C-alpha cells in the first residue's frame, strides 16, 4: 500500500468517526513514536534444539509514515 493510499484509508476512518484530519495526523505521530523500526522475525533453532525467534532485517519505518502524514495534510 502506498503512503497516499494509507493516508486516505486513515482519513476515511477518522472522518467516519467525525474526528477529522487532526486525529489522523495524531495517529501517525503516535505510530512514529511507538514503532520507529520494522523488522522480520524468523524461527531458528539453537545447537541444543531449542526454538528461538530471531529479529532480522531491521529497517527504519519513519519514511513511510512521514509520507503518510504529508498525504493526510494534503487532504
Amino acid at each position: 500500500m502506498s503512503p497516499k493510499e494509507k493516508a486516505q484509508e486513515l482519513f476515511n476512518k477518522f472522518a467516519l468517526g467525525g474526528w477529522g484530519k487532526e486525529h489522523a495526523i495524531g495517529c501517525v505521530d503516535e505510530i512514529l513514536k511507538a514503532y520507529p523500526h520494522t523488522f522480520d522475525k524468523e524461527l531458528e533453532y539453537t545447537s541444543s534444539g531449542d526454538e528461538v525467534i530471531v529479529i532480522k532485517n531491521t529497517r527504519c519505518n519513519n519514511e513511510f509514515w512521514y509520507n503518510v502524514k504529508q498525504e493526510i495534510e494534503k487532504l
Side-chain angles (χ1 to χ4, degrees):
M1 178 177 290
S2 73
K4 187 172 185 173
E5 292 167 333
K6 179 54 87 172
Q8 189 65 58
E9 177 187 29
L10 286 173
F11 180 81
N12 290 345
K13 285 181 180 182
F14 282 100
L16 287 174
W19 298 322
K21 186 188 302 191
E22 297 80 22
H23 285 90
I25 290 171
C27 175
V28 172
D29 287 338
E30 290 300 314
I31 291 168
L32 284 166
K33 284 191 280 186
Y35 302 102
H37 295 89
T38 190
F39 51 86
D40 300 323
K41 296 187 286 185
E42 294 182 18
L43 182 63
E44 293 190 2
Y45 298 90
T46 65
S47 59
S48 62
D50 295 327
E51 291 182 352
V52 292
I53 295 175
V54 178
I55 295 173
K56 294 186 173 186
N57 303 320
T58 302
R59 55 206 174 271
C60 185
N61 202 24
N62 291 345
E63 183 179 357
F64 175 79
W65 289 105
Y66 281 125
N67 290 338
V68 170
K69 185 174 177 179
Q70 289 175 344
E71 293 295 335
I72 292 171
E73 290 169 346
K74 292 178 188 177
L75 297 173

